C-alpha cells in the first residue's frame, strides 16, 4: 500500500500546470470571452429590467398565448410573475433569467452543431461520450476553481460553470434525434435529388426537432439547478437570497425563493419546451 502512495500520479499538479500555462499564454482569449459573455448577459438583463415589470409580464404573456394558443398559460404566466413581484424577488428573478437564457443560447449554439456532427461521425461520438459523462459527474466546485482564476468573480464564471454542466444534454439529444431519422425517409430524400445540406435541413432536423427542444428544456432545468452554485462565485440572482437563507437558517425566506425558482422553471418549460409533433405516416 505504501509503495502505491509513494508513486502518486501527478494529476493535481498537471492540472495546475495547465491552468498556469493558460493564464500566462491565453489570458487575452479569456479576457475577450469574458467581455463577450458579459455583454450578452448585460443585454438580456437590460431587456428585462429597463421596461416596467408589468410591460415585461404583458410581453411574456402575449408570447405564451401566441406560442401555445392557450389563454390559461398566459394567465398562469401573469399570476406567476405577479406572485414573484409580491414576494419582492423581481430583480433577482430577472438576473436569474438573464443567466439561464444566456446559458441556453451558448449551450444550444454549441451543443446542436456538435450533436449533428456526432450523429454523422460515430467514432467522434464514441470518443466524446466519456467527456460528456465527466462534465456531468465531476463535482461543480472542481472546475469552479480554474473558472474563478481565469474569469474572476461575477456572472461570467457562473455562466461558464452552468454551460459546462448543461451542455451535454443538447449534444446527446441532438445526436439521438439526428441518428434516429428513419433510413427510408433519408433514402427517399436522396432519391429526389436532395444534397447533404438539404437532407439535414429538410429531413433530419425536422425529424429531430422534438429531441432538440427536449435538449433545450433540459438545458433550462439544469441551468436553474445551478443558480446557487453560480451565487457562490459572485453571480447575482435567486441564488443569493437562497444562500442567505441557508446561512441564516431562515425557513421563510428559503421557501419564498424556492417557490420563485419553481415558478421560473415552470414558465420557461411551458414557453420553450414545446415542439411541433411529428405527423404519423398514413
Amino acid at each position: 500500500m505504501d509503495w502505491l502512495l509513494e508513486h502518486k500520479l501527478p494529476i493535481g499538479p498537471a492540472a495546475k500546470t495547465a491552468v498556469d500555462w493558460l493564464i500566462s499564454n491565453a489570458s487575452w482569449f479569456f479576457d475577450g470571452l469574458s467581455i463577450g459573455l458579459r455583454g450578452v448577459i448585460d443585454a438580456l438583463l437590460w431587456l428585462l429590467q429597463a421596461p416596467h415589470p408589468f410591460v415585461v409580464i404583458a410581453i411574456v404573456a402575449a408570447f405564451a398565448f401566441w406560442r401555445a394558443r392557450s389563454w390559461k398559460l398566459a394567465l398562469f404566466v401573469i399570476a406567476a410573475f405577479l406572485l414573484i413581484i409580491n414576494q419582492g424577488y423581481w430583480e433577482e428573478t430577472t438576473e436569474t433569467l438573464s443567466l439561464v437564457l444566456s446559458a441556453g443560447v451558448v449551450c444550444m449554439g454549441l451543443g446542436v452543431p456538435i450533436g449533428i456532427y456526432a450523429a454523422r461521425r460515430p467514432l467522434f461520438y464514441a470518443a466524446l461520450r466519456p467527456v460528456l459523462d465527466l462534465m456531468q459527474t465531476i463535482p461543480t466546485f472542481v472546475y469552479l476553481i480554474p473558472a474563478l482564476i481565469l474569469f474572476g468573480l461575477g456572472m461570467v464564471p457562473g455562466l461558464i460553470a452552468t454551460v459546462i454542466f448543461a451542455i451535454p444534454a443538447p449534444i446527446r439529444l441532438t445526436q439521438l434525434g439526428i441518428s434516429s431519422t428513419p433510413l427510408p425517409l433519408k433514402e427517399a430524400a436522396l432519391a429526389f435529388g436532395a444534397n447533404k445540406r438539404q437532407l439535414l435541413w429538410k429531413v433530419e432536423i425536422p425529424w429531430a426537432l422534438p429531441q432538440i427542444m427536449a435538449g433545450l428544456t433540459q438545458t433550462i432545468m439544469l441551468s436553474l439547478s445551478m443558480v446557487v452554485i453560480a451565487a457562490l462565485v459572485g453571480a447575482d440572482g435567486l441564488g443569493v437570497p437562497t444562500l442567505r437563507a441557508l446561512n441564516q437558517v431562515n425557513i421563510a425566506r428559503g421557501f419564498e425563493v424556492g417557490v420563485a425558482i419553481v415558478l421560473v422553471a415552470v414558465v420557461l418549460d411551458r414557453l420553450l419546451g414545446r415542439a411541433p409533433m411529428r405527423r404519423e405516416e398514413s
Side-chain angles (χ1 to χ4, degrees):
M1 190 70 178
D2 292 337
W3 66 268
L4 188 60
L5 294 175
E6 291 174 358
H7 297 83
K8 181 179 178 181
L9 294 175
I11 296 176
K16 183 180 183 302
T17 301
V19 173
D20 291 340
W21 184 89
L22 290 174
I23 294 173
S24 301
N25 298 276
S27 58
W28 57 271
F29 170 77
F30 293 104
D31 291 341
L33 182 61
S34 178
I35 293 172
L37 293 177
R38 183 69 205 187
V40 173
I41 295 172
D42 288 343
L44 289 172
L45 198 56
W46 181 84
L47 289 174
L48 293 170
Q49 290 186 344
H52 192 278
F54 290 166
V55 175
V56 176
I57 294 173
I59 293 173
V60 177
F63 176 77
F65 180 79
W66 172 82
R67 173 76 169 158
R69 294 293 188 270
S70 171
W71 61 268
K72 294 181 180 179
L73 177 58
L75 287 179
F76 173 77
V77 169
I78 294 172
F81 283 140
L82 288 179
L83 179 58
I84 290 173
I85 293 175
N86 174 261
Q87 296 299 304
Y89 294 108
W90 175 253
E91 182 177 354
E92 291 84 355
T93 298
T94 57
E95 291 166 346
T96 294
L97 281 172
S98 67
L99 181 62
V100 171
L101 294 176
S102 299
V105 170
V106 175
C107 288
M108 299 304 290
L110 295 176
V112 172
I114 294 174
I116 293 172
Y117 185 81
R120 298 283 183 84
R121 300 290 188 274
L123 291 178
F124 171 76
Y125 184 62
L128 185 63
R129 285 181 61 187
V131 179
L132 299 178
D133 293 338
L134 182 66
M135 292 169 69
Q136 287 195 304
T137 55
I138 190 171
T140 310
F141 297 99
V142 173
Y143 51 78
L144 276 181
I145 300 172
L148 280 172
I149 296 173
L150 295 172
F151 298 101
L153 288 171
M155 297 286 277
V156 174
L159 175 60
I160 295 297
T162 302
V163 169
I164 292 174
F165 182 68
I167 198 172
I171 293 176
R172 292 181 189 275
L173 288 170
T174 300
Q175 187 275 338
L176 176 63
I178 297 295
S179 61
S180 64
T181 305
L183 184 59
L185 196 60
K186 294 191 288 186
E187 290 177 345
L190 293 173
F192 279 98
N195 56 36
K196 289 185 177 181
R197 178 176 298 180
Q198 291 170 331
L199 178 66
L200 175 65
W201 287 101
K202 300 293 185 180
V203 177
E204 292 178 326
I205 288 182
W207 179 268
L209 190 58
Q211 282 80 9
I212 293 174
M213 296 303 293
L216 176 59
T217 302
Q218 289 297 310
T219 298
I220 292 169
M221 297 302 107
L222 292 171
S223 299
L224 280 170
S225 71
M226 292 288 289
V227 293
V228 177
I229 303 298
L232 291 174
V233 293
D236 298 323
L238 292 169
V240 175
T242 303
L243 285 178
R244 290 175 181 169
L246 180 63
N247 292 331
Q248 299 170 0
V249 197
N250 190 327
I251 298 176
R253 173 178 285 187
F255 192 79
E256 290 171 358
V257 180
V259 169
I261 293 174
V262 169
L263 290 175
V264 171
V266 174
V267 168
L268 290 176
D269 177 68
R270 297 297 183 270
L271 291 181
L272 303 176
R274 296 175 178 229
M277 299 298 292
R278 300 192 191 107
R279 293 183 179 179
E280 297 294 334
E281 296 294 334
S282 58

